[in-house]
Amino acid sequence: MAIRTILEFPDPRLRTRAQPVTRFDADLHRVIDDMLETMYAAPGIGLAATQVDVHQRLVVIDISDDRNDPLVLINPEILSREGETATEEGCLSVPGYFDEVKRASKIRVRAQDRDGKVFERDCEEILAVCVQHEMDHIDGKLFVDYLSSLKRERVRKKLEKERKERAARASAPERRRSAL
Ligand code: NI
């Protein structure tokens, strides 16, 4: 297993619409295991393949307190939606930013597991929100798309500034000072 690099907004690769998974083989299992490791290390409660630059319809989620109950959704589809909830969301691809998004409070989802077996699951509360958030990713959509364009632009500028500062720090010659 390996930790993969998470793409950050506004990276254009995050806008890719992912393709259905057709082969449930060792390569897929490697991607799933890497995604789980990446999600746990971040740490996050959900990660879509798009975020690690793999453009397949695959998401991993773990909302458990003990971080030992992974849910893998392959080729997920939402069969029904009910109610509305507003949740303060964040995203590993939009680090350090949180804002309220309205979504369905209950959904029924159909997906395949890592071996291709079809299953259905009712999700509510944070799990429902998380599934909808991750499924947006595989359609090239981010939670900041639900905000005003003014807010989104502010987030983009803030992240770009932080990235530049990080890069400058990394390339700056190391200065050593000794107090004698
Ligand atoms: Ni996200």
Side-chain angles (χ1 to χ4, degrees):
M1 297 216 288
I3 292 176
R4 302 206 181 191
T5 304
I6 298 175
L7 302 178
E8 290 184 7
F9 175 70
D11 193 308
R13 289 171 290 182
L14 288 167
R15 298 306 186 179
T16 313
R17 204 183 144 81
Q19 296 298 312
V21 171
T22 52
R23 292 164 60 137
F24 294 82
D25 57 7
D27 286 343
L28 178 73
H29 293 165
R30 192 170 316 118
V31 174
I32 293 169
D33 292 342
D34 285 358
M35 283 175 60
L36 285 168
E37 192 178 354
T38 305
M39 174 182 76
Y40 288 129
I45 60 168
L47 185 71
T50 309
Q51 292 176 275
V52 292
D53 205 20
V54 172
H55 300 288
Q56 297 196 56
R57 304 189 76 78
L58 159 63
V59 311
V60 298
I61 291 171
D62 192 339
I63 58 158
S64 70
D65 289 336
D66 295 336
R67 319 285 285 144
N68 59 1
D69 188 19
L71 174 64
V72 177
L73 300 175
I74 300 173
N75 300 325
E77 281 174 76
I78 293 178
L79 301 176
S80 62
R81 298 164 202 264
E82 252 182 75
E84 192 182 66
T85 180
T87 310
E88 186 96 334
E89 292 187 23
C91 179
L92 295 174
S93 293
V94 190
Y97 187 79
F98 298 84
D99 214 326
E100 196 175 85
V101 177
K102 284 191 182 127
R103 300 189 189 267
S105 56
K106 267 178 149 183
I107 60 169
R108 184 166 180 82
V109 66
R110 174 158 58 208
Q112 283 165 280
D113 69 10
R114 56 191 287 145
D115 300 311
K117 190 166 170 279
V118 177
F119 65 96
E120 291 185 11
R121 179 153 176 175
D122 289 310
C123 310
E124 42 183 82
E125 296 173 12
I126 190 66
L127 181 59
V129 169
C130 192
V131 169
Q132 291 170 86
H133 175 118
E134 302 311 329
M135 284 182 65
D136 273 352
H137 275 303
I138 58 178
D139 283 327
K141 208 167 169 186
L142 295 165
F143 86 100
V144 292
D145 298 348
Y146 295 101
L147 310 177
S148 69
S149 52
L150 189 75
K151 265 192 183 175
R152 193 162 49 251
E153 188 57 15
R154 220 181 287 146
V155 177
R156 189 184 66 75
K157 282 194 178 136
K158 178 176 167 275
L159 289 183
E160 268 178 357
K161 185 165 164 258
E162 285 170 2
R163 254 193 301 279
K164 272 191 198 130
E165 286 169 359
R166 267 206 307 269
R169 268 201 304 277
S171 65
E174 201 179 337
R175 284 168 62 188
R176 283 175 179 276
R177 292 166 111 190
S178 308
L180 299 170

